[in-house]
Amino acid sequence: MDQNEKAYQKQTGVNVGFRKDVKASSVAPGKFGKRYYKSIGLGFKTPRSAIEGSYIDKKCPFTGNISIRGRILSGVVKSTKMTRTITIRRDYFQFIRKYQRYEKRHKMLSAHVSPCFRVREGDKVVIGQCRPLSKTVRFNVLKVIPAGGASEQAKAFAT
């Protein structure tokens, strides 16, 4: 387990050191091993990196104590400057009755991103509502759809 915080990090419900160590090769990570993970349901699969990873994140919906309930939204990642938190932009149209036309508007949302995801600016993400995690964070990343970079487009064009 990665210990890079001031406080000792551990998963709740996993007793470390109570049983004699079984050979690491004989026990698959997560399968009766010393790692807790769960399925959040709602048609979202638990990422392989959450099952086999060694990170500890109590705010992760797959390995922590967070339940997803309420709204499921999608948006584009605008900023990844915060630690384990991203800012998402959601664009929408607002109808103006006086002019019988629509205008573009947007909302910025903060969402917690688990270390099992690799997120970059421009990626499309699906987020789910959970309990308040901080002053501004009420959502958790459930799925990342990578944005096609220039190199990926060039590969697709060549084939």
Side-chain angles (χ1 to χ4, degrees):
M1 302 291 170
D2 299 332
Q3 296 293 334
N4 51 14
E5 302 289 334
K6 285 186 177 180
Y8 179 73
Q9 302 292 306
K10 66 183 181 116
Q11 285 190 309
T12 54
V14 177
N15 296 323
V16 179
F18 274 78
R19 207 172 12 153
K20 281 193 174 183
D21 272 346
V22 183
K23 263 191 177 176
S25 62
S26 67
V27 177
K31 180 97 172 170
F32 306 120
K34 292 186 173 146
R35 183 146 181 88
Y36 168 78
Y37 68 93
K38 65 181 178 183
S39 170
I40 60 166
L42 303 169
F44 293 99
K45 292 177 73 173
T46 304
R48 179 107 343 257
S49 53
I51 298 169
E52 296 173 354
S54 62
Y55 70 90
I56 296 174
D57 184 14
K58 65 181 182 178
K59 295 177 181 179
C60 172
F62 305 104
T63 62
N65 188 22
I66 293 293
S67 61
I68 302 298
R69 79 286 190 281
R71 297 185 178 272
I72 305 290
L73 307 172
S74 65
V76 178
V77 178
K78 280 295 173 191
S79 171
T80 57
K81 294 176 184 173
M82 294 177 275
T83 307
R84 292 188 181 178
T85 306
I86 58 174
T87 306
I88 295 162
R89 180 182 169 118
R90 294 189 30 124
D91 294 318
Y92 62 96
F93 290 108
Q94 178 71 35
F95 184 70
I96 307 299
R97 199 167 48 197
K98 179 180 177 183
Y99 299 111
Q100 295 292 306
R101 280 165 178 66
Y102 293 91
E103 70 178 7
K104 276 187 179 178
R105 292 190 182 181
H106 75 274
K107 288 274 190 263
M108 299 295 272
L109 287 171
S110 295
H112 181 269
V113 59
S114 172
C116 68
F117 293 117
R118 296 282 170 254
V119 181
R120 293 188 295 178
E121 289 183 19
D123 289 351
K124 193 168 184 200
V125 292
V126 177
I127 56 176
Q129 189 178 5
C130 58
R131 66 174 171 80
L133 301 177
S134 69
K135 180 182 174 184
T136 58
V137 178
R138 274 106 177 94
F139 289 89
N140 230 309
V141 174
L142 303 177
K143 186 177 173 185
V144 178
I145 302 149
S151 61
E152 290 178 42
Q153 288 174 352
K155 286 178 189 173
F157 185 76
T159 56

